[in-house]
Amino acid sequence: NYTASPLRAFENEMGAQPPFGFWDPVGFTADGDVDAYKRRRQTEIKHGRIAMLATMGYMTPEITGKFPGYLSPSAGLKFEDVPNGLAAISKVPALGWAQILGWMAFCEVSKSQAPGTPGAAGDFGWKLITSDDPVVKERKLASELANGRLAMVAIMGMLFQDGLTGSAFGDFAIKQGSAWLAFENELGVQAPVGFWDPAGFTADG
Protein backbone atom coordinates (compact mmCIF):
# COMPACT_ATOMS: atom_id res chain seq x y z
CA ASN A 1 0.00 0.00 0.00
CA TYR A 2 3.04 2.28 0.15
CA THR A 3 2.64 3.95 -3.26
CA ALA A 4 5.76 6.08 -2.91
CA SER A 5 8.02 3.05 -2.50
CA PRO A 6 10.95 2.92 -4.98
CA LEU A 7 9.93 -0.67 -5.69
CA ARG A 8 6.90 0.68 -7.54
CA ALA A 9 9.29 1.91 -10.24
CA PHE A 10 9.95 -1.67 -11.33
CA GLU A 11 6.84 -3.66 -10.42
CA ASN A 12 5.57 -3.61 -14.02
CA GLU A 13 8.91 -4.47 -15.62
CA MET A 14 9.32 -7.66 -17.61
CA GLY A 15 10.23 -10.52 -15.30
CA ALA A 16 7.79 -9.52 -12.56
CA GLN A 17 5.82 -12.73 -12.89
CA PRO A 18 3.35 -14.74 -10.79
CA PRO A 19 3.33 -15.96 -8.13
CA PHE A 20 5.87 -13.53 -6.63
CA GLY A 21 5.41 -10.50 -8.85
CA PHE A 22 8.33 -8.11 -8.41
CA TRP A 23 10.62 -9.95 -5.99
CA ASP A 24 13.71 -8.30 -4.55
CA PRO A 25 14.20 -9.67 -1.01
CA VAL A 26 17.77 -8.35 -0.78
CA GLY A 27 16.69 -4.83 -1.71
CA PHE A 28 18.98 -4.16 -4.67
CA THR A 29 16.37 -1.80 -6.13
CA ALA A 30 15.49 -0.05 -2.87
CA ASP A 31 17.08 3.19 -4.04
CA GLY A 32 15.01 3.27 -7.27
CA ASP A 33 18.15 3.64 -9.43
CA VAL A 34 16.92 2.88 -12.97
CA ASP A 35 20.41 2.64 -14.50
CA ALA A 36 21.52 0.12 -11.88
CA TYR A 37 18.34 -1.86 -12.46
CA LYS A 38 18.96 -2.02 -16.21
CA ARG A 39 22.55 -3.12 -15.64
CA ARG A 40 21.40 -5.92 -13.35
CA ARG A 41 18.75 -6.98 -15.85
CA GLN A 42 21.42 -7.10 -18.58
CA THR A 43 23.54 -9.29 -16.31
CA GLU A 44 20.57 -11.52 -15.45
CA ILE A 45 19.81 -12.15 -19.13
CA LYS A 46 23.45 -13.01 -19.85
CA HIS A 47 23.84 -15.31 -16.87
CA GLY A 48 20.50 -16.96 -17.61
CA ARG A 49 21.55 -17.75 -21.18
CA ILE A 50 24.89 -19.17 -20.02
CA ALA A 51 23.12 -21.26 -17.36
CA MET A 52 20.63 -22.64 -19.90
CA LEU A 53 23.49 -23.72 -22.17
CA ALA A 54 25.40 -25.17 -19.22
CA THR A 55 22.37 -27.12 -17.99
CA MET A 56 21.78 -28.57 -21.44
CA GLY A 57 25.49 -29.33 -21.67
CA TYR A 58 25.21 -31.43 -18.52
CA MET A 59 22.09 -33.26 -19.62
CA THR A 60 22.44 -33.78 -23.38
CA PRO A 61 25.51 -36.10 -23.41
CA GLU A 62 23.83 -38.31 -20.82
CA ILE A 63 20.68 -38.59 -22.94
CA THR A 64 21.90 -38.60 -26.53
CA GLY A 65 25.48 -39.76 -26.19
CA LYS A 66 28.57 -37.95 -27.43
CA PHE A 67 29.94 -36.99 -30.82
CA PRO A 68 31.81 -39.69 -32.72
CA GLY A 69 35.45 -39.24 -33.56
CA TYR A 70 38.28 -37.32 -31.96
CA LEU A 71 38.23 -34.16 -29.90
CA SER A 72 41.99 -33.95 -30.26
CA PRO A 73 43.50 -36.27 -32.92
CA SER A 74 47.05 -35.24 -31.97
CA ALA A 75 46.45 -36.28 -28.35
CA GLY A 76 44.41 -39.34 -29.32
CA LEU A 77 41.51 -37.97 -27.28
CA LYS A 78 38.01 -38.98 -28.38
CA PHE A 79 34.82 -37.16 -27.44
CA GLU A 80 33.67 -40.28 -25.61
CA ASP A 81 36.81 -40.12 -23.45
CA VAL A 82 35.71 -36.81 -21.90
CA PRO A 83 33.48 -37.38 -18.86
CA ASN A 84 30.43 -35.29 -18.13
CA GLY A 85 30.43 -32.65 -15.44
CA LEU A 86 33.33 -31.22 -13.44
CA ALA A 87 35.62 -34.12 -14.33
CA ALA A 88 35.74 -32.78 -17.90
CA ILE A 89 37.66 -29.67 -16.81
CA SER A 90 40.96 -31.49 -16.57
CA LYS A 91 40.38 -33.58 -19.70
CA VAL A 92 39.74 -30.84 -22.29
CA PRO A 93 43.03 -29.85 -24.00
CA ALA A 94 44.41 -26.33 -23.62
CA LEU A 95 43.53 -25.49 -27.23
CA GLY A 96 39.97 -26.58 -26.54
CA TRP A 97 39.75 -24.13 -23.65
CA ALA A 98 41.30 -21.46 -25.87
CA GLN A 99 38.50 -21.98 -28.40
CA ILE A 100 35.85 -21.77 -25.69
CA LEU A 101 37.32 -18.58 -24.23
CA GLY A 102 37.78 -17.13 -27.71
CA TRP A 103 34.11 -17.68 -28.52
CA MET A 104 33.09 -16.09 -25.23
CA ALA A 105 35.27 -13.06 -26.01
CA PHE A 106 33.77 -12.79 -29.50
CA CYS A 107 30.24 -12.79 -28.05
CA GLU A 108 31.25 -10.00 -25.68
CA VAL A 109 32.82 -7.69 -28.27
CA SER A 110 30.83 -8.53 -31.43
CA LYS A 111 28.06 -6.08 -30.53
CA SER A 112 27.95 -2.96 -28.40
CA GLN A 113 26.36 -3.57 -25.02
CA ALA A 114 26.51 0.05 -23.93
CA PRO A 115 23.46 1.37 -22.03
CA GLY A 116 20.53 2.03 -24.32
CA THR A 117 21.73 -0.21 -27.17
CA PRO A 118 19.94 -3.36 -28.40
CA GLY A 119 22.85 -5.41 -27.08
CA ALA A 120 22.26 -4.08 -23.57
CA ALA A 121 18.72 -5.45 -23.80
CA GLY A 122 20.03 -8.84 -24.92
CA ASP A 123 19.29 -8.35 -28.64
CA PHE A 124 22.25 -9.70 -30.62
CA GLY A 125 20.36 -10.02 -33.88
CA TRP A 126 19.54 -13.72 -33.52
CA LYS A 127 15.91 -13.80 -34.61
CA LEU A 128 15.17 -17.52 -34.89
CA ILE A 129 12.54 -17.64 -32.18
CA THR A 130 11.35 -14.03 -32.11
CA SER A 131 8.05 -12.68 -33.43
CA ASP A 132 6.71 -9.61 -35.19
CA ASP A 133 3.71 -9.66 -32.87
CA PRO A 134 4.61 -7.46 -29.83
CA VAL A 135 2.46 -9.54 -27.47
CA VAL A 136 4.02 -12.82 -28.57
CA LYS A 137 7.51 -11.31 -28.49
CA GLU A 138 7.04 -10.04 -24.94
CA ARG A 139 5.75 -13.45 -23.85
CA LYS A 140 8.80 -15.16 -25.34
CA LEU A 141 11.20 -12.70 -23.72
CA ALA A 142 9.47 -13.21 -20.37
CA SER A 143 9.78 -16.98 -20.85
CA GLU A 144 13.49 -16.57 -21.50
CA LEU A 145 13.90 -14.74 -18.21
CA ALA A 146 11.93 -17.37 -16.30
CA ASN A 147 13.80 -20.26 -17.93
CA GLY A 148 17.13 -18.54 -17.34
CA ARG A 149 16.35 -18.14 -13.65
CA LEU A 150 15.40 -21.79 -13.38
CA ALA A 151 18.57 -22.81 -15.22
CA MET A 152 20.76 -20.78 -12.86
CA VAL A 153 19.30 -22.69 -9.91
CA ALA A 154 19.52 -26.00 -11.80
CA ILE A 155 23.16 -25.69 -12.84
CA MET A 156 24.21 -24.73 -9.30
CA GLY A 157 22.40 -27.81 -8.01
CA MET A 158 24.16 -30.00 -10.57
CA LEU A 159 27.57 -28.52 -9.73
CA PHE A 160 27.08 -29.09 -6.00
CA GLN A 161 25.88 -32.65 -6.54
CA ASP A 162 28.81 -33.31 -8.85
CA GLY A 163 31.28 -31.89 -6.35
CA LEU A 164 29.83 -33.93 -3.48
CA THR A 165 29.37 -37.24 -5.25
CA GLY A 166 31.68 -37.24 -8.27
CA SER A 167 28.68 -37.82 -10.52
CA ALA A 168 27.11 -35.24 -12.79
CA PHE A 169 23.69 -36.31 -11.54
CA GLY A 170 24.45 -36.81 -7.89
CA ASP A 171 24.50 -40.59 -7.48
CA PHE A 172 25.62 -40.69 -3.85
CA ALA A 173 25.70 -44.48 -3.87
CA ILE A 174 28.70 -44.60 -6.22
CA LYS A 175 31.03 -42.56 -4.05
CA GLN A 176 32.31 -45.00 -1.48
CA GLY A 177 33.66 -43.41 1.67
CA SER A 178 31.32 -40.44 1.41
CA ALA A 179 30.12 -39.14 4.77
CA TRP A 180 26.61 -39.27 3.39
CA LEU A 181 26.75 -43.07 3.35
CA ALA A 182 27.27 -43.23 7.12
CA PHE A 183 23.62 -42.38 7.71
CA GLU A 184 21.81 -43.65 4.63
CA ASN A 185 20.29 -46.62 6.47
CA GLU A 186 19.19 -44.70 9.57
CA LEU A 187 15.58 -44.50 10.70
CA GLY A 188 13.79 -41.70 8.87
CA VAL A 189 15.56 -42.23 5.54
CA GLN A 190 12.53 -42.73 3.36
CA ALA A 191 11.56 -42.78 -0.30
CA PRO A 192 11.51 -40.89 -2.57
CA VAL A 193 14.23 -38.57 -1.23
CA GLY A 194 16.30 -41.06 0.73
CA PHE A 195 18.92 -39.53 3.05
CA TRP A 196 18.44 -35.81 2.62
CA ASP A 197 20.76 -33.27 4.21
CA PRO A 198 21.02 -30.30 1.84
CA ALA A 199 22.57 -28.09 4.52
CA GLY A 200 25.38 -30.61 5.08
CA PHE A 201 24.95 -30.99 8.84
CA THR A 202 26.26 -34.57 8.63
CA ALA A 203 29.08 -33.85 6.18
CA ASP A 204 31.73 -34.53 8.81
CA GLY A 205 30.39 -38.06 9.31
Side-chain angles (χ1 to χ4, degrees):
N1 296 325
Y2 178 32
T3 58
S5 170
L7 298 179
R8 300 288 185 184
F10 310 111
E11 65 177 359
N12 294 317
E13 291 289 327
M14 185 179 297
Q17 302 172 359
F20 296 108
F22 182 71
W23 195 64
D24 180 19
V26 182
F28 288 124
T29 58
D31 58 2
D33 188 329
V34 175
D35 290 335
Y37 173 83
K38 290 181 178 179
R39 178 179 59 78
R40 292 190 181 101
R41 170 49 53 83
Q42 179 180 353
T43 303
E44 178 184 28
I45 292 172
K46 184 182 296 184
H47 288 176
R49 289 172 175 175
I50 292 171
M52 285 188 281
L53 290 171
T55 302
M56 290 305 300
Y58 252 78
M59 296 167 58
T60 303
E62 294 281 349
I63 298 170
T64 65
K66 299 174 182 176
F67 291 121
Y70 286 87
L71 171 64
S72 174
S74 60
L77 182 67
K78 296 182 178 180
F79 284 102
E80 64 184 22
D81 296 331
V82 179
N84 294 336
L86 296 175
I89 293 175
S90 61
K91 299 294 184 181
V92 176
L95 285 178
W97 282 113
Q99 292 177 43
I100 294 170
L101 294 174
W103 174 248
M104 292 168 60
F106 170 77
C107 291
E108 284 291 320
V109 304
S110 63
K111 192 176 185 70
S112 173
Q113 300 178 56
T117 62
D123 184 354
F124 283 75
W126 195 65
K127 304 295 186 182
L128 182 63
I129 56 175
T130 190
S131 174
D132 293 328
D133 185 327
V135 175
V136 175
K137 181 178 180 180
E138 183 174 356
R139 178 175 58 80
K140 289 186 175 184
L141 291 173
S143 296
E144 179 188 33
L145 277 173
N147 291 340
R149 291 166 178 172
L150 177 60
M152 285 187 276
V153 175
I155 192 61
M156 289 306 299
M158 290 179 181
L159 290 172
F160 271 100
Q161 287 180 340
D162 196 341
L164 284 170
T165 69
S167 167
F169 289 93
D171 188 353
F172 291 96
I174 68 172
K175 189 165 185 179
Q176 298 301 318
S178 170
W180 297 76
L181 299 182
F183 309 106
E184 64 175 0
N185 294 316
E186 291 291 325
L187 185 66
V189 179
Q190 301 172 0
V193 181
F195 180 71
W196 193 67
D197 178 20
F201 291 123
T202 59
D204 58 1

